[in-house]
Amino acid sequence: MKKVTILFLIILTYQCIPSFNQEENRIIYIYDADSLFGITYSSNDSINSIFFKTKKSITSYSDSILIAENFKNYYLIHYQQYSLFKDTSFIRNISYLDEIRYFDKEWMKDEENLDSLWNPVNCWRCSGIYDTARIYLILPYENADSLQFMQVHRWLYQTQ
């Protein structure tokens, strides 16, 4: 009985300690001021979505001869309609960027950074609509002093 009580206290203590990885709980902002993501619109009977894609080339050489070129495709998906579900979107003044921490063009150029953000969802059952991380893509309005914040979901696809 004493061992069970001690085990129970250890488990209770562990559950009450705050998470060491607070990064998972914060909102992730990606600022695409320079249009690094290509945009594709997709629509059918039950899904209306916007795909934002950037990609990195993976080349294979043999004796300095290129034998293969594959790609890592990094997607951010904003669902305007997914059955009864809908992603949020809002507009803020550009000065709002001073108040938040965000990833920008320089951060997105590094493949390791992209992998660190996208690899946790490198499975079809984890990505897209199933990705529950709080991620917002920030897009500037043309000829305006405002930004559009769009809730997005990650999806990683690598060609073979």
Side-chain angles (χ1 to χ4, degrees), residues 88-94 96 138-139 141 144-150:
T88 61
S89 179
F90 57 92
I91 296 171
R92 293 280 190 266
N93 188 285
I94 199 163
Y96 187 68
I138 306 168
L139 300 172
Y141 270 109
D145 205 14
S146 299
L147 302 169
Q148 182 176 15
F149 289 71
M150 301 174 78

Side-chain angles (χ1 to χ4, degrees), residues 9 41 73 76 91 97 100 102 117 137 145 148:
L9 289 174
Y41 297 90
N73 297 295
L76 293 173
I91 296 171
L97 289 178
I100 62 173
Y102 58 88
L117 183 59
L137 180 64
D145 205 14
Q148 182 176 15

Side-chain angles (χ1 to χ4, degrees), residues 21-40:
N21 191 359
Q22 293 294 331
E23 294 292 309
E24 288 180 9
N25 296 327
R26 70 177 175 81
I27 298 174
I28 299 167
Y29 295 102
I30 300 172
Y31 184 35
D32 189 21
D34 298 314
S35 300
L36 294 176
F37 286 96
I39 300 174
T40 304

Side-chain angles (χ1 to χ4, degrees), residues 109-130:
K109 285 182 178 178
D110 187 357
E111 186 175 345
E112 288 181 21
N113 289 339
L114 293 172
D115 285 343
S116 71
L117 183 59
W118 266 267
N119 266 336
V121 292
N122 194 7
C123 72
W124 73 271
R125 293 193 134 216
C126 311
S127 61
I129 194 72
Y130 304 107

Side-chain angles (χ1 to χ4, degrees), residues 3-21:
K3 289 181 182 181
V4 171
T5 305
I6 291 172
L7 181 62
F8 176 76
L9 289 174
I10 290 171
I11 291 172
L12 183 64
T13 304
Y14 179 76
Q15 293 294 325
C16 293
I17 295 174
S19 172
F20 291 108
N21 191 359

